Amino acid sequence: MNSTNGTRERIIEVAKSRFHNRSYADVGIREICDMASIQKGSFYHFFPSKRDLVLAVIDNFALDWANGFVAEAFDPLLPPMERIDYVIDAAYFWQRSSKELNGHIPGCLFGNLALEVSTQDDVLRAKLNAVFISAKDRFKDTLDEAIEQGIIPPLDSEFTAEAMLAYLEGMILLAKAKNDPEVIYRLGSALKNIRIELNTH
Amino acid sequence: MNSTNGTRERIIEVAKSRFHNRSYADVGIREICDMASIQKGSFYHFFPSKRDLVLAVIDNFALDWANGFVAEAFDPLLPPMERIDYVIDAAYFWQRSSKELNGHIPGCLFGNLALEVSTQDDVLRAKLNAVFISAKDRFKDTLDEAIEQGIIPPLDSEFTAEAMLAYLEGMILLAKAKNDPEVIYRLGSALKNIRIELNTH
DNA sequence: CTTGCATTAGACCGACCGGTCAACTATATT
DNA sequence: AATATAGTTGACCGGTCGGTCTAATGCAAG
């Protein structure tokens, strides 16, 4: 019943890597097929269009992410604010090792795609936004826990979580523009001190 | 001696708008020529390649920026920390009015381009990075002034400035992904409280 | 009026784009 | 063994890509 060769998975894996290291528009179906050692016909057997592929890639990568370093960083056994430091560490080491492998920083796939396609495809944009929302929620839960335990004074955990995500994406953007992972290392310490007070609106 | 028609300037203006609202890869020479009401021959008379065009667009936009809202926001007559608030206001109103005009948030041209091309073209990346560095320097000068006047406690102004820029770009990224300028409004208040202490390295 | 140069026009190029299609093969079910 | 179906092949499609080229303009100086 299950595909034996896992061709579909191979396509997604190749596309994920290519999209992440270059851009959605710059990577063609032909190239993806070549790298997955298949023919175009096979590709279109599994995906109706390039757009459907990138949709699947986003799902796949969001899952990787959730099960991978996000699960590690937001480990409930860690003290809440240490989890936030862990996020920085994970981002730093990931970008650094990517640079060692490929010579350049790929940045965040979701951030890259969001800036590339948001103005052109609202469905894609919404899907990317959903990933950001779930990332924000992780931060929010952590902040709520820290407040409850009296580790940090009360704040607007919803907005602060969003602000932390913004700062994280911004650091990665700047690191990519500099092609220097150390940016994340240098700026990371400020992440957990970001605060948005309650009732300022 | 000077070109009368300003064809070159028209090309840059059109390209700037298209690149900003869509993406570098997605906008073709043909489309730019159509919108500038010229033929391909004219385009290639002024620009050897599409890449040279985007280089010129970056220069042009950086100048617009420096003379426009950056000059306004970093007005030496304003109290230092108010300048930083002004940056947020400017970003917010700009994105909001762009959305009213086009239905979507274009984000920051430099951020968009940086994420799109940084891994593919090192010269382009370096040019974008230079724009970010000069933006960071504006923040740094402001912070140094605020410290000197005793308005804020001493901090690492270089890194804090970089962190502020990262946060700004991150907010814009998230706002674009949500297609909602209010993100900038909501999160903006945290910008001027970002701090990176001295000697933490 | 002529020369010379900057600018413009638009046909044209090969390459590649995303996508289609009919034929073929492998595999599982009956 | 026969059949159905999932997977695969590779030729093919119209269209667009970035870029070239030649010929025709406009215009200013001699």
Side-chain angles (χ1 to χ4, degrees), chain A residues 65 108 110-112 114 125 127-137 165 169, chain B residues 173-174 177-178:
Chain A
W65 222 34
C108 168
F110 304 120
N112 297 349
R125 185 195 56 69
K127 198 175 188 79
L128 262 353
N129 187 39
V131 174
F132 287 136
I133 287 174
S134 90
K136 177 211 66 186
D137 285 341
L165 180 59
E169 286 291 330
Chain B
L173 185 152
L174 245 46
K178 278 200 149 49

Side-chain angles (χ1 to χ4, degrees), chain B residues 114-158:
Chain B
L115 291 197
E116 185 178 358
V117 306
S118 283
T119 58
Q120 301 177 60
D121 187 321
D122 215 56
V123 173
L124 228 53
R125 185 195 57 70
K127 197 173 190 80
L128 263 353
N129 186 39
V131 174
F132 287 135
I133 287 175
S134 90
K136 177 210 66 187
D137 286 340
R138 297 285 193 138
F139 278 113
K140 180 182 186 303
D141 293 344
T142 304
L143 288 169
D144 285 336
E145 206 177 317
I147 295 166
E148 204 180 347
Q149 294 177 18
I151 297 169
I152 57 169
L155 45 68
D156 190 320
S157 64
E158 176 82 16

Side-chain angles (χ1 to χ4, degrees), chain B residues 2-183:
Chain B
N2 252 344
S3 170
T4 52
N5 295 355
T7 306
R8 197 188 129 96
E9 282 66 32
R10 219 167 58 248
I11 294 171
I12 290 178
E13 219 58 38
V14 166
K16 190 166 60 178
S17 154
R18 295 284 100 184
F19 288 158
H20 195 178
N21 283 287
R22 301 233 297 284
S23 74
Y24 175 60
D26 198 59
V27 177
I29 306 291
R30 183 66 190 276
E31 180 183 349
I32 291 168
C33 290
D34 286 351
M35 294 200 60
S37 304
I38 55 162
Q39 298 295 329
K40 265 196 178 176
S42 296
F43 176 90
Y44 281 98
H45 174 69
F46 291 105
F47 300 98
S49 72
K50 188 185 181 186
R51 182 173 175 265
D52 287 281
L53 169 64
V54 76
L55 251 17
V57 165
I58 294 169
D59 278 333
N60 180 286
F61 196 69
L63 207 64
D64 274 11
W65 222 35
N67 295 336
F69 100 90
V70 171
E72 255 182 77
F74 290 97
D75 183 348
L77 296 178
L78 254 47
M81 298 314 276
E82 278 184 32
R83 296 175 210 167
I84 290 171
D85 282 332
Y86 199 111
V87 170
I88 293 289
D89 284 355
Y92 169 62
F93 284 112
W94 188 17
Q95 298 295 327
R96 205 183 63 168
S97 72
S98 293
K99 181 174 176 182
E100 276 162 15
L101 273 171
N102 309 316
H104 51 72
I105 290 198
C108 168
L109 175 64
F110 304 121
N112 297 351
L113 285 174
L115 291 197
E116 185 178 358
V117 306
S118 283
T119 58
Q120 301 177 60
D121 187 321
D122 215 56
V123 173
L124 228 53
R125 185 195 57 70
K127 197 173 190 80
L128 263 353
N129 186 39
V131 174
F132 287 135
I133 287 175
S134 90
K136 177 210 66 187
D137 286 340
R138 297 285 193 138
F139 278 113
K140 180 182 186 303
D141 293 344
T142 304
L143 288 169
D144 285 336
E145 206 177 317
I147 295 166
E148 204 180 347
Q149 294 177 18
I151 297 169
I152 57 169
L155 45 68
D156 190 320
S157 64
E158 176 82 16
F159 289 173
T160 301
E162 202 174 18
M164 286 178 166
L165 180 60
Y167 185 56
L168 179 63
E169 286 290 331
M171 278 189 294
I172 295 172
L173 185 152
L174 245 46
K176 185 170 179 176
K178 278 200 149 49
N179 196 27
D180 180 8
E182 301 304 319
V183 172

